[in-house]
Each structure stands twice: as C-alpha cells, then as structure tokens.
Amino acid sequence: MLPGSEREDVDSGGKIIMPPSALDTLTRLNINYPMLFKLSNKRSNRQTHCGVLEFIADEGKVYIPYWMMKNLLLDEGDMVQVESVSLEVATFSKFQPQSSDFLDITNPKAVLENCLRNFACLTTGDVIAIKYNQKVYEMCVLETKPGNAVSIIECDMNVEFAAPVGYQEPKHEKKPATEEMMVDPADLMPEPSGFIAFKGSGNRLDGKKKKENTDDPLNQVKVAYQRGIPDYDYTLGTIQFIRNIRPVIDDKAHENQDGFKPFAGSGSVLKTKKK
C-alpha cells in the first residue's frame, strides 16, 4: 500500500488513491459526479468498480485495497486499466458471509451499513472485506439491483443475507413421548431398612387405649407392587371395559330385617310436674 504510516481506512473501504495527473485529466472531461471508476485486468478478464479517495499517489501508480487486488487477480506492480463510468443508484443488494463467524455479530445489518460508508459502489460477484471489532469478515455480493454494478452513495438500499458458507441448520432431535406411569415411582422403591424415626408404639398415662390414626401413612400397610398381566386372548377389533360394580343395598329391606326404626323410642322428663 502507501509508503510511510499505515492507513487502515484505505484497505477497509472500496475506494482507491490515484495520482494528481488523473484529477487534471478528469476535470477537463465532461464526467458525472460522484467519480466512479471501472478497474479491469485484461489478462484474467476480471473487473470491478470503485470510487476515489484522494489524488496523492505517485505518477503512474494507483493504490487499491488488498481485497480488490484479490478479486482482480492482481499482484503488486501489475497493470490495471482505469475507466470513468456512471452507475445507477442501488435499490437492493444481497450478501453471503464467507464464514459462520459472522453470525456472532449481534446486529449484522447495522454493522454492514456502517462499513459500507467507506464504499462508493458494489459489483455482483465481488468478495468485499469489512472490519469489525479488530476482525475482518469477507462478504460475497450475490446480487445487486437494478444492475450488476451499482452506486451506493446517498441511496436507500434494501439488504438481505444468505446463509454463510458451510453453515448447517442445527438438528433438533425429537424426544420420544414418554408414556405416563400409572404407578407412583415412590411406590416401587423398596421398604426402608434399619432405623426408622417415630416408628415405635406409645402408651397413654391414663391407661386408656390409644386410638389408631388410619390417615397416618406410617400406619398404612404398603401393598407390594405387582406388574399387570397382559390379556393374551385379546382379539383385534374387540374392546372390553371391566368395571368393579358394587351391589346396590336396599336400605328399606335392611331396616325391615333388623326391625330397627330411628327415633321411634319413648322419652321421659327428669323434672316432675307439680300437681
């Protein structure tokens, strides 16, 4: 690049530095502004488009960004043809990141918009380089409208992104639907062995018998778990609904058998009536 101190703004944009004699020639010609140029490599039949940053290069030389040299298949000191052109204003462009690392950027559209301020035009098929957070990202220009080469100076352009090169959609494995267990897993655990707190029996001081609390889970006898037995005689197309039907008890017949009638006795008064 330029001799002396390094200038990062030259290599990170899409503009070139030309000699002062080019400015004198362009001012005498009837050209359209802003100044846009077409760079061609006749040996490889490659071409791209760019803007101009300054006219301070040595005579007979132009300084162009490294990514542009790669697109034109140029080496330092090679011949390049520079032509003044007029391009249409861009309305749409589509980019494809060359690495999946570009997905790590939080707001890629805002980053690209900020980096494109250093560019003057875009050419379909070029691989441009943008710098963000001390890292260089390469972007391939897949499509531009209304032409294959467009100007992006003071334009309202819609931007789309294609999937990065080598990107694969993450595979979400579907977990098989687990059948709901009809039995509580806690019931399948073996009975605790050894010391069990508050498992002993107690006595009352008044000598009366202790009432058994049937709701206490410690007093309930745990039924041993038994696996269900499949119906091996099952035939396709038949469904059996087996229900435990309780017999209906006739209360009237039960009363007649025992001969008991509620509230049918006679009462007495403790206090005698005065005569």
Side-chain angles (χ1 to χ4, degrees):
M1 290 299 294
L2 288 170
S5 59
E6 183 180 356
R7 295 180 56 179
E8 295 183 357
D9 59 335
V10 178
D11 198 39
S12 61
K15 299 178 182 180
I16 64 175
I17 297 178
M18 303 176 68
S21 60
L23 178 60
D24 296 337
T25 304
L26 291 170
T27 53
R28 289 194 298 267
L29 299 175
N30 186 17
I31 62 173
N32 297 326
Y33 290 88
M35 294 183 182
L36 301 176
F37 302 93
K38 175 183 176 182
L39 304 182
S40 304
N41 184 1
K42 296 299 182 180
R43 292 186 305 173
S44 60
N45 197 21
R46 302 291 292 272
Q47 61 184 17
T48 186
H49 297 78
C50 65
V52 60
L53 185 63
E54 294 175 353
F55 292 93
I56 60 173
D58 297 335
E59 291 298 331
K61 296 181 180 179
V62 291
Y63 299 100
I64 65 178
Y66 178 69
W67 65 265
M68 200 175 293
M69 295 179 61
K70 290 174 60 178
N71 290 333
L72 296 174
L73 302 178
L74 288 174
D75 293 329
E76 188 174 353
D78 290 347
M79 294 292 295
V80 61
Q81 180 177 340
V82 183
E83 302 176 35
S84 177
V85 294
S86 178
L87 301 177
E88 295 180 298
V89 178
T91 58
F92 172 81
S93 60
K94 187 174 183 179
F95 299 88
Q96 182 183 32
Q98 300 300 292
S99 174
S100 57
D101 296 338
F102 188 74
L103 299 176
D104 298 335
I105 300 177
T106 305
N107 193 346
K109 281 193 175 182
V111 172
L112 181 62
E113 180 183 355
N114 185 47
C115 294
L116 288 180
R117 294 176 181 176
N118 299 324
F119 289 75
C121 49
L122 295 173
T123 306
T124 302
D126 279 0
V127 178
I128 65 175
I130 61 176
K131 191 174 183 180
Y132 177 70
N133 281 349
Q134 305 300 322
K135 191 172 182 180
V136 177
Y137 299 92
E138 292 185 341
M139 309 282 292
C140 180
V141 184
L142 296 181
E143 184 182 358
T144 56
K145 292 180 181 180
N148 292 332
V150 292
S151 172
I152 60 173
I153 299 176
E154 296 181 358
C155 69
D156 187 9
M157 180 177 63
N158 296 324
V159 177
E160 288 186 2
F161 291 98
V165 176
Y167 173 75
Q168 295 181 353
E169 289 285 344
K171 297 181 180 179
H172 300 285
E173 297 182 357
K174 294 183 178 180
K175 297 182 180 180
T178 55
E179 298 180 357
E180 296 182 359
M181 299 184 64
M182 302 301 295
V183 182
D184 187 3
D187 296 339
L188 305 180
M189 299 296 293
E191 289 287 347
S193 59
F195 172 76
I196 302 176
F198 306 104
K199 188 64 177 177
S201 60
N203 297 322
R204 295 180 54 158
L205 296 177
D206 54 5
K208 295 182 180 179
K209 292 184 179 180
K210 177 185 174 183
K211 295 182 179 180
E212 296 291 340
N213 188 4
T214 57
D215 296 335
D216 190 358
L218 297 176
N219 296 330
Q220 295 178 359
V221 180
K222 188 175 181 180
V223 182
Y225 171 72
Q226 295 181 357
R227 296 185 60 182
I229 301 175
D231 185 7
Y232 295 103
D233 298 332
Y234 172 77
T235 57
L236 186 63
T238 60
I239 301 177
Q240 297 180 358
F241 296 95
I242 302 177
R243 298 184 177 87
N244 295 328
I245 301 175
R246 296 181 180 179
V248 180
I249 300 176
D250 191 357
D251 295 338
K252 294 182 178 180
H254 185 69
E255 290 178 0
N256 296 332
Q257 291 178 1
D258 297 342
F260 172 76
K261 294 182 180 180
F263 304 104
S266 59
S268 59
V269 181
L270 297 179
K271 185 176 180 182
T272 57
K273 296 181 180 180
K274 294 181 180 181
K275 295 182 179 180

